Amino acid sequence: MINKNKISNLKKERRSFLKLTTFSVAAIGSSFAVWPFIDSMNPSADVLAQGIKEFDLSNIEEGSSKTVKWRGKPVFIKHRTKNEIEEARNVKLSELKDPQKDEDRVLKPEWLIVVGVCSHLGCIPSGQKVSDAKGDFNGWFCPCHGSHYDSSGRVRKGPAPRNLEVPKYKFIDTNKIKLG
Ligand code: FES
């Protein structure tokens, strides 16, 4: 004969188990419901990749350069001297592999802003530091296969087919730019 207390205990245990199971399923269900909501509050990969960034140029002295990271790439910001501007503007377009006027590559003559990635196979050219090799045209030199860029970031010699890219940017203050 089955003991009544034993049956009662078994029923209690069964009820507890059902409650626990129901609670767990609800908890799991709600975590799935919450995740898309939390996820939707994060910026999408596209928004992150757009990477609009502001940079202050006031601490970059004339004749020096600064490298900033934007969209995972180095961007060269060069505060050009009068000589460098003149050099860049005195070049005939017929001498250039990728003909572009210096005036069309800058918003303000003293500030050259280019993506620091060689158009040949993507190395980062040297020339950002005063002590760096700057190539035969006083700009940048890509040691990977010997491409030379001038003080406007235009390719002048070597296998690189194109000038250093000018990214989309604008001045939002006298000495502040917004990239992107
Ligand atoms: S990657 Fe610059 S010259 Fe080849």
Side-chain angles (χ1 to χ4, degrees):
M1 193 175 153
I2 301 172
N3 182 325
K4 278 187 179 175
N5 282 343
K6 210 173 180 181
I7 291 173
S8 167
N9 283 343
L10 278 172
K11 279 183 180 173
K12 275 183 194 166
E13 277 176 27
R14 189 165 173 261
R15 240 179 274 130
S16 300
F17 174 73
L18 284 173
K19 273 186 195 166
L20 184 67
T21 310
T22 307
F23 177 76
S24 302
V25 169
I28 291 168
S30 67
S31 73
F32 280 122
V34 168
W35 169 248
F37 176 67
I38 291 172
D39 195 40
S40 73
M41 293 194 298
N42 291 325
S44 68
D46 286 347
V47 171
L48 285 175
Q50 279 170 16
I52 295 168
K53 277 193 177 179
E54 294 177 9
F55 295 100
D56 186 7
L57 313 182
S58 55
N59 57 355
I60 308 173
E61 287 175 20
E62 190 178 310
S64 62
S65 303
K66 186 177 182 177
T67 305
V68 298
K69 197 176 170 192
W70 176 68
R71 294 184 181 172
K73 292 178 185 172
V75 169
F76 297 164
I77 302 174
K78 187 173 178 65
H79 191 171
R80 301 193 297 184
T81 61
K82 282 199 175 86
N83 279 349
E84 286 167 334
I85 298 166
E86 267 177 38
E87 264 173 20
R89 298 201 165 182
N90 287 338
V91 179
K92 289 183 192 147
L93 285 188
S94 57
E95 293 174 29
L96 299 172
K97 191 189 272 190
D98 181 10
Q100 236 183 348
K101 284 183 184 173
D102 179 66
E103 291 88 328
D104 295 337
R105 294 175 53 77
V106 292
L107 295 178
K108 291 184 181 184
E110 65 271 36
W111 293 109
L112 176 76
I113 294 156
V114 289
V115 176
V117 175
C118 180
S119 64
H120 181 224
L121 293 177
C123 288
I124 298 175
S126 79
Q128 284 296 87
K129 289 185 198 153
V130 176
S131 56
D132 280 354
K134 291 182 168 52
D136 295 353
F137 299 87
N138 195 28
W140 291 270
F141 173 65
C142 183
C144 294
H145 313 91
S147 287
H148 299 244
Y149 295 88
D150 66 15
S151 60
S152 188
R154 294 171 300 196
V155 62
R156 301 292 297 276
K157 192 173 162 186
R162 289 180 310 282
N163 303 331
L164 295 179
E165 180 194 345
V166 176
K168 189 181 164 204
Y169 72 94
K170 64 180 177 186
F171 278 86
I172 54 172
D173 206 340
T174 314
N175 281 321
K176 210 173 205 181
I177 57 163
K178 186 187 255 187
L179 276 171

